[in-house]
Amino acid sequence: MKPTGPRGVGTQADFAPYFYDNGPYSNNGNLALFSLSEDMPVGTQIYCLNGTDPEGHEVRYGLSFDPGSKEYFRVDPRSGNITLVEKLDREKQDSIDVIISITDGRSKTTESGSSIFKVEAVDKDTGSGGSVTYYLQSPQSSMFAIDRHSGVLRIKFGEMLDYEKTKTHFVTIIAKDGGGNFNGKEQFLSSFATLTINVIDAQDTPPSFIGTPYFGYVYEISTPGSEIFTVSAEDGDVGNPNPIRYSLDEDAVFGINTTTGCITLLIPPNYLKREVFNVKVRASEVSPEGRLMDYGVTTVVIRVMDLNNNPPTFYGENGPQNMFELTMYEHPPEGEILRGLKVTVNDSDQGANAKFNLKLIGPGRMLRVVPQTVLNEAQVTILVEDSAAMDYEKHHFLTYKLLAVEIDTSERFSATADIVIHLLDTNDNAPKFSSDYYIARIPENSPGGSNVVSVTAVDPDSGPWGEVKYSIYGSGADLFLIQPASGIIYTQPWASLDAEVKSKYNFYVKAEDAEGKYNLAEVFVTVLDLNDHPPAFNNNFLQKTMVIGAPVKIEAVDDDAEIPNNVIEYAIMKAEPDNNIFDIDTDTGEIKLKSYIKSMAIIQNITKKRDCSWSLVVQARDRGQPSFSTTAVVKIDITEAGGPLGSFLINRNNPMQIIGMLVGLISLMVIVTIIISTATFMRNKRSNRILPNRRVRRRPRSQNLWSFRNPFRKSETQREKFRIKEDEMEPEVIVENVNYNNNISNVVRHWCPPPPPCAPSLPPPPPSYFHGERHWTVPTVSAAVAPKPRKKPLLERQDTMNKALVSELKMRLERRRMMVP
């Protein structure tokens, strides 16, 4: 831009007018990328130039075309209205370059797009080979454009030359022909040239001072005329600079050389009433005609210096100040300057007396001060060192001491200033739960709306940012609700919790603040099982067949979900006709005969009856609190399965029992062999009238006792052969069944082998009762386990079992003898 009108001395800088850039689709502005239809009638107003002047002067518009180009438009200088004056034909010309301008009478601005040079290349060929088109080598990175037909180089729309940025531009232009045949091949030839464009500077930049800020000093020994400081300024238009003239806004105390910029003292120092003078210095351009044009202003701080009688002093915008306050948001970026603090520190002394250190004393290492060493005066800058520590939730405000201490003086003068920083809160925290997960337990069958658990999340931010709202979600949250404000989780009003249906639920709880920052925790809910189901048998009357040596099993089911509510203990409450023949496994419900019962004969010997059908009252009781129980009547028919061999096969899964059975079987075979041999010998001896050593006497059927004389033993009375003396009897086992089960694990037991069975005197009588006439009562058994006193040592368990087997063999042999005619 160039000034076009005269200027008076001391006038302000005049800024050139400019166009409004309203975009390519606007009908007013700077005509940038404007398009119109080729059938637009001549005389139509097609556009309106629009601009303004910064000083508010009236503007005029202009419009021109390249020399030799057809002028299609005309502009009204005042209104800026552009009118079409020539008919358009797109087939002949598809673009029109227009140069527009705006002026305020002093300065004129020509919009970009002006043509600056026309290149021309000559091709001596004819036809298409002689036609030349022009291109730029780097059109995208260049601020210039070229008409490929005419070779006119223009400045691109939207671009502007600026001498202060680039003084010279180099543009490479390529000229290319239209191609043709050469030696039978099509060939295109081109050439290039480099155009150097030198930008001429225009007077559009005011002067600027060099080396600011400026500080000058007046000493006590200074005299009028002493030089204080020299300022220096230069014209911003360095390509064609104008001379600079210096002046002061006030000249009562100081003077300045208008050419050199040297400031001098006009009066003695003792007449200076202030210690600091802010002197305004103006640097103005001088036109070739001698008129003052654009100017720049700076301030020179002149201090009156004396002996070291002044400590460092902190200054604010309004003078000395010992407290500075600043309000800012928490967590500023590290390295950021606290721009709200306008702090200057100064020591009015001179030389070493004015050298001091700056220190910032306060909490942590959040801030640091620069510079750390100052000579005379400096602008104090405080930088952020630790952004994370500047947390509103920890410190609502920060208080620091800014300390200035002289270094090389004996007085060590110092000064302090308080720096108070008020932190403003930001929403920098998401709510945080007191735990990552919550475990809750609620009894089943709790009514709807029952409280389950209370979750707590805390957002340390202030105001609405610190308010927490709770919500729950997840597949397990259907039966639950949460109070948004308190975090209390409770069951749906219609919810029915059943541990037997589902005992475990888990879902997520969300704590969210007003801006959507949130955190999650997981909730695990266990539905506690209540003992609300008693054990149940499939049938209250069960019928089982027991093979000697093999157990029978009964089973009850408890529908409760958890232990101990669904753990069942079994007990035999009553057994008829004998109460001490069965054992029951309290955990599995297996019923088996006592260990010493190996045959039907032993059972008949105990009960004195032939009936081998038992009725048991079995109780199933759970371990819940309170405990529930149920009973069932179990009818057991006892039978044998092939004698010892059947027992052996039945008990083949028990190795120790198999070994015992094998030993017993071998012993039995040896005994049977001996007995048969003895009986044969006795019969043969009798038939040969050889007197036997032992006589076997058959008792009448009416007698109750069986007798058998062993040929290898001395004669004994019939009763003594099978009688065990009272003092040799095994001790009794008396059990107190406080839990209605004589096999309960917590009953104290003293092992006593069972007494050996006695051979029956007569076959057991038929049962004196009928099943249909039984009336069961559940007894309450109360007793203690105590062995009977013994006069002699107990018999070994193996001896007792052998005696039982011998008794059984004797009985069978006697039966066989009676069957022989």
Side-chain angles (χ1 to χ4, degrees):
M1 63 188 76
K2 298 182 180 180
T4 58
R7 301 189 180 183
V9 177
T11 59
Q12 295 288 337
D14 179 60
F15 295 93
Y18 59 90
F19 285 102
Y20 293 121
D21 187 2
N22 296 327
Y25 304 104
S26 176
N27 58 5
N28 69 85
N30 60 357
L31 203 62
L33 299 179
F34 178 72
S35 62
L36 72 163
S37 176
E38 66 176 346
D39 60 352
M40 184 71 66
V42 175
T44 304
Q45 179 183 324
I46 61 171
Y47 198 86
C48 181
L49 296 178
N50 190 6
T52 186
D53 182 74
E55 289 81 18
H57 299 155
E58 185 179 3
V59 296
R60 296 287 188 271
Y61 302 99
L63 185 149
S64 62
F65 295 82
D66 289 336
S69 300
K70 191 174 183 179
E71 297 184 0
Y72 287 91
F73 312 110
R74 184 177 295 117
V75 65
D76 186 322
R78 291 183 177 273
S79 65
N81 292 330
I82 298 176
T83 304
L84 180 65
V85 296
E86 293 287 342
K87 184 173 179 59
L88 301 174
D89 188 353
R90 186 179 183 277
E91 284 68 26
K92 293 182 179 180
Q93 187 174 358
D94 58 358
S95 65
I96 301 173
D97 294 332
V98 179
I99 302 172
I100 60 174
S101 62
I102 183 172
T103 180
D104 61 354
R106 295 185 178 182
S107 297
K108 181 179 180 180
T109 300
T110 301
E111 187 70 7
S112 299
S114 302
S115 59
I116 58 175
F117 191 78
K118 181 178 181 179
V119 297
E120 185 176 0
V122 178
D123 193 321
K124 296 181 179 181
D125 294 322
T126 61
S128 62
S131 63
V132 180
T133 54
Y134 303 93
Y135 304 91
L136 295 183
Q137 189 177 45
S138 302
Q140 301 300 328
S141 60
S142 176
M143 62 186 300
F144 303 97
I146 191 169
D147 187 285
R148 63 180 181 172
H149 300 293
S150 65
V152 174
L153 185 69
R154 296 182 175 84
I155 301 173
K156 285 183 179 178
F157 285 104
E159 299 288 350
M160 183 175 293
L161 299 178
D162 190 341
Y163 179 87
E164 282 70 34
K165 293 181 178 179
T166 306
K167 299 177 177 61
T168 303
H169 298 270
F170 299 95
V171 181
T172 301
I173 303 171
I174 300 174
K176 185 176 182 182
D177 63 16
N181 291 324
F182 181 73
N183 293 333
K185 295 182 180 180
E186 188 175 7
Q187 178 174 273
F188 294 89
L189 299 177
S190 63
S191 180
F192 70 90
T194 300
L195 177 65
T196 302
I197 302 173
N198 296 314
V199 182
I200 300 174
D201 191 18
Q203 291 295 329
D204 57 353
T205 306
S208 60
F209 287 90
I210 302 172
T212 58
Y214 295 140
F215 297 95
Y217 304 95
V218 175
Y219 300 97
E220 292 180 334
I221 59 175
S222 298
T223 59
S226 299
E227 295 184 359
I228 299 175
F229 194 85
T230 300
V231 298
S232 177
E234 62 181 10
D235 189 355
D237 303 308
V238 295
N240 185 21
N242 287 324
I244 303 297
R245 181 177 296 175
Y246 300 96
S247 61
L248 300 178
D249 286 352
E250 54 183 42
D251 53 4
V253 177
F254 305 99
I256 190 170
N257 187 302
T258 60
T259 304
T260 63
C262 179
I263 301 174
T264 57
L265 180 65
L266 298 180
I267 60 175
N270 57 339
Y271 288 99
L272 299 175
K273 304 300 182 184
R274 292 180 294 170
E275 294 183 356
V276 179
F277 293 85
N278 294 318
V279 179
K280 299 291 184 180
V281 179
R282 178 179 299 182
S284 303
E285 293 182 32
V286 181
S287 68
E289 295 81 11
R291 295 190 301 271
L292 296 180
M293 301 173 64
D294 286 350
Y295 64 89
V297 177
T298 190
T299 300
V300 179
V301 179
I302 299 176
R303 301 183 180 279
V304 179
M305 306 300 296
D306 57 0
L307 299 176
N308 187 28
N309 57 356
N310 295 297
T313 306
F314 292 101
Y315 293 88
E317 293 181 321
N318 299 318
Q321 190 172 331
N322 58 10
M323 175 175 283
F324 300 86
E325 292 188 87
L326 173 66
T327 300
M328 61 184 299
Y329 286 102
E330 62 177 337
H331 303 307
E334 292 185 0
E336 181 173 306
I337 298 174
L338 303 188
R339 302 186 184 279
L341 290 176
K342 305 294 184 181
V343 183
T344 302
V345 63
N346 171 263
D347 190 321
S348 299
D349 298 320
Q350 294 296 317
N353 294 334
K355 190 176 182 180
F356 55 92
N357 287 335
L358 287 178
K359 295 181 180 180
L360 192 63
I361 302 172
R365 301 184 61 180
M366 305 180 199
L367 305 173
R368 65 185 178 93
V369 62
V370 291
Q372 295 183 352
T373 301
V374 179
L375 179 62
N376 295 122
E377 185 177 72
Q379 182 77 30
V380 178
T381 301
I382 297 179
L383 304 176
V384 177
E385 185 90 345
D386 187 353
S387 174
M390 299 184 68
D391 192 348
Y392 175 84
E393 284 71 36
K394 296 179 181 178
H395 313 281
H396 285 14
F397 62 90
L398 302 171
T399 301
Y400 284 85
K401 287 286 187 181
L402 184 58
L403 179 64
V405 181
E406 291 180 347
I407 300 174
D408 299 326
T409 64
S410 58
E411 295 85 3
R412 303 282 292 180
F413 290 134
S414 64
T416 59
D418 293 324
I419 308 294
V420 180
I421 301 173
H422 299 273
L423 294 179
L424 299 177
D425 194 18
T426 60
N427 190 19
D428 58 332
N429 295 284
K432 185 177 182 181
F433 283 96
S434 58
S435 176
D436 291 335
Y437 59 89
Y438 294 86
I439 299 176
R441 298 175 177 86
I442 182 171
E444 64 176 342
N445 301 329
S446 297
S450 299
N451 288 348
V452 178
V453 66
S454 178
V455 300
T456 303
V458 177
D459 192 325
D461 293 320
S462 61
W465 296 327
E467 297 176 1
V468 179
K469 182 180 180 181
Y470 300 94
S471 59
I472 59 175
Y473 67 94
S475 59
D478 297 340
L479 297 181
F480 304 93
L481 296 172
I482 189 169
Q483 294 181 4
S486 65
I488 296 176
I489 299 175
Y490 58 97
T491 59
Q492 293 271 13
W494 46 265
S496 176
L497 301 178
D498 191 342
E500 288 74 40
V501 176
K502 186 175 181 180
S503 61
K504 303 290 184 182
Y505 297 87
N506 69 291
F507 50 87
Y508 291 95
V509 59
K510 178 180 181 181
E512 187 175 13
D513 63 16
E515 285 190 351
K517 289 190 176 182
Y518 67 91
N519 211 332
L520 299 177
E522 193 165 5
V523 178
F524 298 89
V525 179
T526 300
V527 180
L528 298 178
D529 183 41
L530 298 180
N531 194 21
D532 55 351
H533 293 87
F537 291 98
N538 292 336
N539 197 332
N540 289 333
F541 181 79
L542 305 173
Q543 191 164 0
K544 301 285 185 178
T545 298
M546 176 182 286
V547 178
I548 293 178
V552 296
K553 184 176 180 181
I554 62 172
E555 186 174 8
V557 178
D558 193 313
D559 290 335
D560 287 314
E562 298 178 359
I563 59 175
N565 297 334
N566 59 3
V567 177
I568 300 175
E569 293 179 344
Y570 299 91
I572 298 175
M573 307 303 298
K574 186 176 182 182
E576 289 189 1
D578 191 282
N579 215 23
N580 195 31
I581 192 172
F582 295 101
D583 285 336
I584 188 169
D585 190 305
T586 59
D587 296 324
T588 65
E590 286 188 351
I591 301 174
K592 59 185 178 180
L593 293 171
K594 296 285 187 180
S595 59
Y596 63 86
I597 298 175
K598 302 297 182 180
S599 65
M600 293 289 295
I602 297 175
I603 297 174
Q604 294 171 353
N605 191 29
I606 293 174
T607 61
K608 311 299 183 184
K609 297 179 181 180
R610 290 186 178 276
D611 184 13
C612 292
S613 178
W614 255 258
S615 295
L616 281 68
V617 177
V618 179
Q619 181 191 66
R621 176 182 294 275
D622 63 30
R623 294 183 181 178
Q625 293 294 331
S627 178
F628 292 101
S629 65
T630 186
T631 58
V633 176
V634 183
K635 182 180 179 182
I636 300 178
D637 295 321
I638 304 175
T639 183
E640 285 185 312
L645 181 59
S647 300
F648 168 76
L649 295 174
I650 292 172
N651 295 282
R652 62 185 180 275
N653 293 326
N654 191 336
M656 297 304 298
Q657 192 169 359
I658 291 174
I659 295 173
M661 290 299 297
L662 290 174
V663 173
L665 182 59
I666 294 171
S667 301
L668 178 62
M669 293 175 65
V670 172
I671 294 172
V672 168
T673 303
I674 294 173
I675 294 174
I676 293 175
S677 300
T678 302
T680 304
F681 173 78
M682 294 298 293
R683 172 180 285 184
N684 293 337
K685 190 174 183 179
R686 184 178 179 183
S687 62
N688 294 327
R689 297 185 182 276
I690 298 175
L691 294 176
N693 289 333
R694 179 178 177 272
R695 178 178 298 175
V696 179
R697 182 179 298 174
R698 180 181 296 177
R699 290 183 181 275
R701 289 183 180 276
S702 58
Q703 292 182 352
N704 294 328
L705 296 176
W706 295 80
S707 64
F708 185 84
R709 185 180 297 276
N710 190 342
F712 303 103
R713 295 183 61 182
K714 293 182 179 181
S715 299
E716 296 177 352
T717 62
Q718 301 298 329
R719 292 183 180 273
E720 289 175 350
K721 294 178 181 179
F722 299 97
R723 182 181 298 169
I724 297 177
K725 296 181 181 180
E726 183 66 27
D727 57 0
E728 296 178 355
M729 292 291 290
E730 296 296 329
E732 291 185 2
V733 178
I734 304 174
V735 181
E736 179 181 359
N737 192 353
V738 296
N739 291 314
Y740 311 111
N741 184 355
N742 57 357
N743 295 305
I744 194 71
S745 59
N746 59 356
V747 176
V748 179
R749 298 180 182 275
H750 299 277
W751 166 249
C752 299
C758 297
S761 299
L762 290 174
S768 59
Y769 61 93
F770 297 92
H771 177 71
E773 297 177 353
R774 293 175 182 168
H775 300 284
W776 297 101
T777 60
V778 180
T780 302
V781 181
S782 177
V785 177
K788 227 176 163 186
R790 296 179 295 174
K791 295 181 180 179
K792 292 184 179 181
L794 293 174
L795 295 176
E796 295 295 333
R797 180 180 179 89
Q798 187 65 35
D799 295 339
T800 305
M801 294 178 63
N802 292 336
K803 288 182 179 181
L805 293 173
V806 170
S807 177
E808 181 179 358
L809 290 174
K810 287 179 179 180
M811 183 179 64
R812 293 190 178 191
L813 290 173
E814 189 66 22
R815 287 179 182 174
R816 180 179 295 180
R817 187 182 65 81
M818 294 176 63
M819 293 175 63
V820 175

